[in-house]
Amino acid sequence: VVENLALMREDAARDVWSVDTVMYYLHRLADIGTSPKCTVPAYQYFGIFASVALSRLECLLTDYSGSLAALAPVLENSTTMVAKADQESKTFSEVINGVFSARLSLTYHAGISFLMLRRYKDAATTVGELCSYMQRGFKTGQLRQMPNSEQLYKNYDRMIALLAICTNICPQSNLVEESIAKTIREKHGVQLSKEAYTELFVFCAPKFISPAIPDFFVSGPVENVYKQQVQLLEQELKDQTVFRDLRSYLRLYTSIPTSKLVKFGNEEQTLPSLKLRMRQLESNNPAVPSLEDASLKSALDIHYYVEKTSADGSNDEIVHVDEAEKQRRFENYFFGQITQSYEIRKEANSINTTV
């Protein structure tokens, strides 16, 4: 180790940590391969997977907007096709979905980027779909037959922890499938009850890196990059306990004076703060994680507004609460029953009935 560190300190080996060089080549490959004018399949494949690698690198460098922007030429391009001789033409998205490791890297780092950009619904829908696919693949044995299946289990657990944070902050129905919600409760129910978001983030987050060339003998700034992201998340989620208490009170009433909420221990400025914090960008197409094709929407599971009244001379404010309309969906129930019936039948068939 000492010899390797000494080698890295030499001027000739400074390119070992040259982020600029790596970024240059990835950008060049992505620009050429994803251009509509490019029709050479080899260049297109280089461009597609360079975009995935660039998205991962931008996320590790904590440029979350850049991470999502790197995916735009691939995911939002539905017209350019990859055509090879004697093979069916595919879109860029279909090429990525055909390579599971690329799909996994894209989804995971997009989910982390959405989380850090305070787009919790997009993070949940993006990661939840892949987690459902992986859960079914583990049950059928399809994913267990793939190389590095143990690493797939680890990535699956990290994404479940990421979903635990998002679904707890943004508790809307039907964000994830019922089977995934059940897994979240089983694996991280205790942590969510304590609101241990930092512990969950430390488990699910990637190892962030610094673009600066580190001093391999005095390690300071490199480690601080990771700690800084943890502190940013803690700063963002520090008011979630107050928001959760306020939301629980608002669910009990259709209208309530602000003075009564204050008596319950809530601060008056928490009402606009909750509304502001939960107003976030949301992709117009949930199937495609996008940075630009998004609009501001409320992620609250309840709607409320404040009306000023002076009928009794108190000049108090009344909070009117309108719970969001719940969409009744039955497919999760039937899927659960089908899975349960399949397990019972599987156990019954394994019983030795010979006399």
Side-chain angles (χ1 to χ4, degrees), residues 273-334:
S273 179
L274 172 60
K275 214 171 186 63
L276 180 63
R277 284 289 187 91
M278 297 308 290
R279 187 166 176 79
Q280 56 193 248
L281 285 172
E282 184 178 343
S283 296
N284 295 324
N285 183 4
V288 180
S290 175
L291 179 66
E292 297 181 354
D293 187 19
S295 55
L296 277 173
K297 297 180 182 179
S298 176
L300 282 170
D301 53 344
I302 55 175
H303 302 153
Y304 66 90
Y305 64 95
V306 180
E307 182 182 18
K308 197 163 188 175
T309 177
S310 58
D312 55 355
S314 60
N315 290 327
D316 201 357
E317 294 179 336
I318 303 296
V319 183
H320 297 278
V321 183
D322 178 24
E323 188 171 357
E325 182 181 356
K326 294 183 179 179
Q327 297 179 354
R328 301 186 66 185
R329 299 179 63 179
F330 303 99
E331 64 268 22
N332 291 335
Y333 171 78
F334 286 109

Side-chain angles (χ1 to χ4, degrees), residues 243 246 262 266-275:
F243 291 161
L246 175 61
V262 172
N266 300 282
E267 297 183 4
E268 194 170 345
Q269 62 267 26
T270 307
L271 282 167
S273 179
L274 172 60
K275 214 171 186 63

Side-chain angles (χ1 to χ4, degrees), residues 152-333:
L152 293 182
Y153 276 106
K154 293 179 180 178
N155 290 330
Y156 172 75
D157 289 337
R158 292 165 72 184
M159 289 192 293
I160 289 294
L162 173 61
L163 284 176
I165 298 174
C166 297
T167 54
N168 196 255
I169 298 172
C170 183
Q172 289 196 355
S173 59
N174 304 323
L175 267 182
V176 295
E177 292 186 4
E178 181 60 32
S179 58
I180 297 298
K182 181 181 178 181
T183 304
I184 291 173
R185 291 191 297 268
E186 291 175 351
K187 287 180 174 290
H188 305 292
V190 176
Q191 293 167 308
L192 292 178
S193 64
K194 300 177 181 178
E195 298 188 354
Y197 298 121
T198 302
E199 183 179 345
L200 289 170
F201 183 71
V202 169
F203 176 73
C204 74
K207 302 301 181 184
F208 300 106
I209 59 177
S210 170
I213 298 177
D215 187 339
F216 296 102
F217 284 84
V218 183
S219 60
V222 177
E223 295 179 359
N224 290 340
V225 174
Y226 183 82
K227 294 178 181 178
Q228 183 185 38
Q229 299 308 302
V230 175
Q231 292 173 357
L232 286 175
L233 186 81
E234 290 176 345
Q235 184 71 19
E236 178 64 34
L237 303 183
K238 66 178 182 178
D239 296 326
Q240 286 301 316
T241 303
V242 179
F243 291 161
R244 184 169 295 278
D245 293 341
L246 175 61
R247 195 160 50 215
S248 65
Y249 285 120
L250 293 178
R251 281 181 170 276
L252 299 176
Y253 298 89
T254 56
S255 61
I256 179 174
T258 55
S259 58
K260 193 172 183 178
L261 282 174
V262 172
K263 289 180 181 178
F264 289 153
N266 300 282
E267 297 183 4
E268 194 170 345
Q269 62 267 26
T270 307
L271 282 167
S273 179
L274 172 60
K275 214 171 186 63
L276 180 63
R277 284 289 187 91
M278 297 308 290
R279 187 166 176 79
Q280 56 193 248
L281 285 172
E282 184 178 343
S283 296
N284 295 324
N285 183 4
V288 180
S290 175
L291 179 66
E292 297 181 354
D293 187 19
S295 55
L296 277 173
K297 297 180 182 179
S298 176
L300 282 170
D301 53 344
I302 55 175
H303 302 153
Y304 66 90
Y305 64 95
V306 180
E307 182 182 18
K308 197 163 188 175
T309 177
S310 58
D312 55 355
S314 60
N315 290 327
D316 201 357
E317 294 179 336
I318 303 296
V319 183
H320 297 278
V321 183
D322 178 24
E323 188 171 357
E325 182 181 356
K326 294 183 179 179
Q327 297 179 354
R328 301 186 66 185
R329 299 179 63 179
F330 303 99
E331 64 268 22
N332 291 335
Y333 171 78

Side-chain angles (χ1 to χ4, degrees), residues 91-108:
T91 63
F92 289 173
S93 297
E94 290 173 341
V95 171
I96 292 177
N97 291 336
V99 182
F100 186 74
S101 57
R103 181 185 177 187
L104 179 61
S105 175
L106 184 152
T107 304
Y108 169 69

Side-chain angles (χ1 to χ4, degrees), residues 2-35:
V2 176
E3 294 177 357
N4 291 334
L5 290 175
L7 178 63
M8 292 173 120
R9 294 192 69 186
E10 296 179 2
D11 293 336
R14 301 300 282 179
D15 288 341
V16 171
W17 198 268
S18 180
V19 176
D20 291 342
T21 304
V22 176
M23 294 278 283
Y24 170 76
Y25 284 117
L26 289 178
H27 274 290
R28 287 288 293 161
L29 288 171
D31 291 342
I32 294 173
T34 59
S35 172

